[in-house]
Amino acid sequence: MPRHTTSIVWFRRDLRLNDHVALERAATESERVVCAFVLDPVLLRGPHTGAPIVSVFFGSLAELRAGLRERGSDLALLEGDALAELRTLARRTGATALYYNLDYEPHARERDEHVAAGFRADGAHVAASIDHVYYGADEACKPDGSPYTVFTPYKRRWLERRETDPRPPVLSLAAVERKLARAEAIGPTRDVPAPEAYGHARSPHYPRGGEANARRILDAFVSSGIGAYAERRNEPAVDGTSRLSPHLRAGTIGIRTCVAAAAEARRVARGTAAGGADTWTSELIWREFYQQILAHFPHVAREPFVAAARNLEFRDSQSDFEAWSQARTGYPIVDAALVQLNTTGWMHNRLRMIVASFLTKHLLLDYRLGERYFEQRLADADLAANNGGWQWTASTGTDAAPYFRIFNPVLQSKKFDPNGDFIRSMLPALAKLDASSIHAPWLLPPLAAAAAGVRLGRDYPPPIVDHRLARERALATYAPVFRLPRRA
Ligand SMILES: Cc1cc2nc3c(=O)[nH]c(=O)nc-3n(C[C@H](O)[C@H](O)[C@H](O)COP(=O)(O)OP(=O)(O)OC[C@H]3O[C@@H](n4cnc5c(N)ncnc54)[C@H](O)[C@@H]3O)c2cc1C
């Protein structure tokens, strides 16, 4: 029997109607469900939010609202202080319960505790669910209950738990449809604003949000891409990865749906194709790993996970940072990657590692500068994954690359973009260089370069640093710091 007459489901990073734990719970426990989202103008205009992610979220909100309207309901789109707005909605609709899905980001936890305390003080029921991750931060821990800080044992534990405690997608839509509050009961609602209202420009090149789009991408990947994923996931010139990250970030697809799709692909596949599904599942577990790191060690949002790394003395060079972020380092693979980021709001994982290594080791700049830059430019910008990726590369994080691992950008380029196709697609100035010279154009004799239309310093910059010297400088800086005893 339903316990509540009317409940509110507060949507945040879960902009979908299917496989939605809070929605399913609310519908099971209530006679009527009101769906709401609260726009936070401070966050939307703030330094941690960029145009690509706003574009994905607003597109997804518009689709969510359309989906609710098709079913005779609506999305209560509010703006301002979450507690004040949700309280007013509760009074208007007579809601006596609030449901939402947990978010491990420190500012979200603080906000949620405040809202939950306010609702409880009003005598309302509050329920927070695990939804954004397959297993919550306390559900895949060591036998003594402490969190894992190394990926491989975490993954082993995660996979073991799935044997006995699988989490299939929750079939919320069918269950909730008849429980959705009628639009009249919610009252007039506003339109989804344009990103420009918060200072964000639109671009047709940014990923498109929406639950239907996410489902299409997953289906296409599972039917044709996942089999070759293990072999092709490192080549930026090919479409070898799912590109679901903006959707997993905005929650337009459920993590249980993704894990189940990979398991089904594995079941029907044979040999190496099954390996693709396993490798992809492993990447989803990396996402979970960093989520639980952030939940248990929130200090990583501000400073290195490894205490010794807090003594690292980074260089301070605005001009080097600008050369990196504006794709003018003179290393084609680095510059091509930054062009991809700056124009499309997405960057291939291999390239994220290469450019992060370049910023933190070659230029010896603080990883937090790169982390902030990614935050503003990525459509999938996610505190846990972004911080995890940067701290891994900078060797300051948990289970990170050892400090002496310094990617050679030319070797990486030759290995993962052997024909230079990706570089050519992003850097038209180098389009006429062949595979033997495109990875390091400064080595080409000036006449040969001019024949290919490249005059170094005019059409394309010379390298900002020499690889060998930069490597030595990084080792000299990192080595003494990491000889100090490590403490988490
Ligand atoms: C410096 C750096 C910064 C990063 N910043 C982010 C970020 O802000 N947001 C983000 O979602 N990912 C981030 N990643 C991880 C990874 O690069 C992206 O998730 C991936 O490129 C997204 O493309 P895809 O959806 O095609 O991935 P696929 O290869 O298809 O993987 C499927 C999903 O698994 C998850 N995933 C894959 N690799 C990782 C990883 N290493 N860590 C955590 N989750 C992973 C993502 O949700 C991804 O969508 C970062 C990596 C690095 C090295």
Side-chain angles (χ1 to χ4, degrees):
M1 272 299 283
R3 296 157 52 198
H4 316 292
T5 310
T6 303
S7 297
I8 293 174
V9 175
W10 177 21
F11 285 73
R12 297 102 61 81
R13 52 191 302 164
D14 45 10
L15 306 183
R16 65 184 183 281
L17 293 172
N18 288 283
D19 190 16
H20 191 293
V21 179
L23 191 53
E24 200 244 7
R25 270 182 83 183
T28 309
E29 296 172 6
S30 326
E31 284 169 21
R32 198 167 67 146
V33 172
V34 173
C35 298
F37 186 92
V38 188
L39 297 161
D40 178 345
V42 178
L43 189 77
L44 280 164
R45 293 203 179 90
H48 299 291
T49 309
I53 197 166
V54 169
S55 172
V56 170
F57 265 74
F58 281 15
S60 304
L61 276 174
E63 195 182 303
L64 179 66
R65 193 188 58 164
L68 289 167
R69 284 189 171 174
E70 265 167 39
R71 292 169 175 88
S73 187
D74 208 339
L75 179 70
L77 189 57
L78 313 167
E79 175 161 7
D81 175 71
L83 176 57
E85 293 294 321
L86 290 166
R87 247 184 187 151
T88 307
L89 179 69
R91 288 200 189 111
R92 194 167 75 229
T93 57
T96 54
L98 177 71
Y99 289 79
Y100 59 85
N101 291 319
L102 285 168
D103 183 336
Y104 293 139
E105 294 196 5
H107 89 272
R109 292 172 76 157
E110 209 175 292
R111 174 199 63 197
D112 295 353
E113 275 158 27
H114 177 63
V115 171
F119 266 71
R120 286 198 187 102
D122 296 345
H125 171 77
V126 177
S129 303
I130 294 167
D131 171 271
H132 186 64
V133 284
Y134 195 85
Y135 290 125
D138 297 319
E139 292 187 316
C141 292
K142 293 180 189 170
D144 69 2
S146 61
Y148 285 103
T149 53
V150 176
F151 176 70
T152 306
Y154 173 77
K155 175 180 163 184
R156 205 177 302 126
R157 176 74 198 103
W158 192 101
L159 290 170
E160 263 167 27
R161 180 156 192 164
R162 195 175 56 155
E163 293 294 310
T164 54
D165 179 20
R167 305 269 164 99
V170 291
L171 298 171
S172 54
L173 188 52
V176 300
E177 251 170 353
R178 59 197 172 80
K179 296 285 186 79
L180 294 170
R182 306 293 305 162
E184 312 80 76
I186 299 171
T189 59
R190 55 175 292 179
D191 281 343
V192 176
E196 287 85 346
Y198 301 94
H200 299 292
R202 266 184 266 209
S203 164
H205 304 296
Y206 294 157
R208 207 160 51 79
E211 184 170 3
N213 190 30
R215 187 72 230 194
R216 262 194 305 275
I217 295 174
L218 177 66
D219 290 347
F221 177 68
V222 165
S223 63
S224 62
I226 203 168
Y229 178 75
E231 292 81 53
R232 314 202 74 183
R233 58 186 285 263
N234 273 310
E235 297 168 44
V238 302
D239 219 1
T241 68
S242 72
R243 298 232 182 187
L244 274 170
S245 52
H247 293 282
L248 281 159
R249 173 64 181 85
T252 47
I253 192 94
I255 184 65
R256 291 156 302 278
T257 300
C258 293
V259 171
E264 178 59 13
R266 187 182 201 287
R267 198 183 61 77
V268 297
R270 289 192 180 84
T272 52
D278 284 348
T279 309
W280 196 62
T281 304
S282 203
E283 294 309 308
L284 297 176
I285 302 174
W286 268 108
R287 174 178 175 275
E288 305 251 315
F289 177 68
Y290 285 137
Q291 284 282 335
Q292 59 96 39
I293 289 289
L294 180 62
H296 286 288
F297 306 98
H299 73 270
V300 296
R302 298 184 312 275
E303 57 187 357
F305 176 86
V306 174
R310 290 167 210 159
N311 299 322
L312 270 172
E313 287 197 23
F314 296 107
R315 288 174 63 243
D316 178 13
S317 169
Q318 182 63 18
S319 60
D320 279 2
F321 178 70
E322 279 172 12
W324 177 86
S325 57
Q326 293 168 13
R328 288 189 280 102
T329 67
Y331 284 88
I333 194 72
V334 175
D335 295 337
L338 264 305
V339 171
Q340 182 178 48
L341 177 66
N342 293 341
T343 54
T344 71
W346 185 82
M347 191 196 285
H348 189 278
N349 180 59
R350 170 58 47 183
L351 303 174
R352 295 188 201 204
M353 292 194 285
I354 295 172
V355 305
S357 178
F358 194 85
L359 184 89
T360 57
K361 305 276 173 75
H362 282 74
L363 301 182
L364 258 185
L365 297 179
D366 193 326
Y367 72 86
R368 282 162 284 210
L369 286 173
E371 187 190 353
R372 290 290 91 77
Y373 191 75
F374 270 28
E375 201 169 61
Q376 289 156 5
R377 300 287 168 153
L378 281 169
D380 62 29
D382 173 66
L383 175 50
N386 192 31
N387 182 268
W390 276 97
Q391 292 223 36
W392 182 88
T393 323
S395 307
T396 61
T398 168
D399 199 12
Y403 76 87
F404 46 81
R405 182 159 181 202
I406 298 172
F407 283 6
N408 179 328
V410 175
L411 294 184
Q412 290 281 316
S413 187
K414 286 181 177 166
K415 186 166 176 194
F416 296 111
D417 187 28
N419 299 321
D421 293 337
F422 175 74
I423 294 174
R424 263 180 232 103
S425 73
M426 294 292 150
L427 299 176
L430 304 184
K432 290 196 192 135
L433 291 182
D434 64 17
S436 67
S437 54
I438 198 161
H439 306 287
W442 63 91
L443 296 177
L444 205 58
L447 274 180
V454 184
R455 253 181 276 163
L456 221 56
R458 192 196 67 176
D459 307 304
Y460 187 69
I464 183 177
V465 280
D466 172 79
H467 168 67
R468 201 176 48 81
L469 295 179
R471 186 171 186 282
E472 279 165 16
R473 180 174 66 180
L475 290 176
T477 305
Y478 272 79
V481 169
F482 280 92
R483 283 201 200 108
L484 295 169
R486 285 185 176 223
R487 181 165 61 81

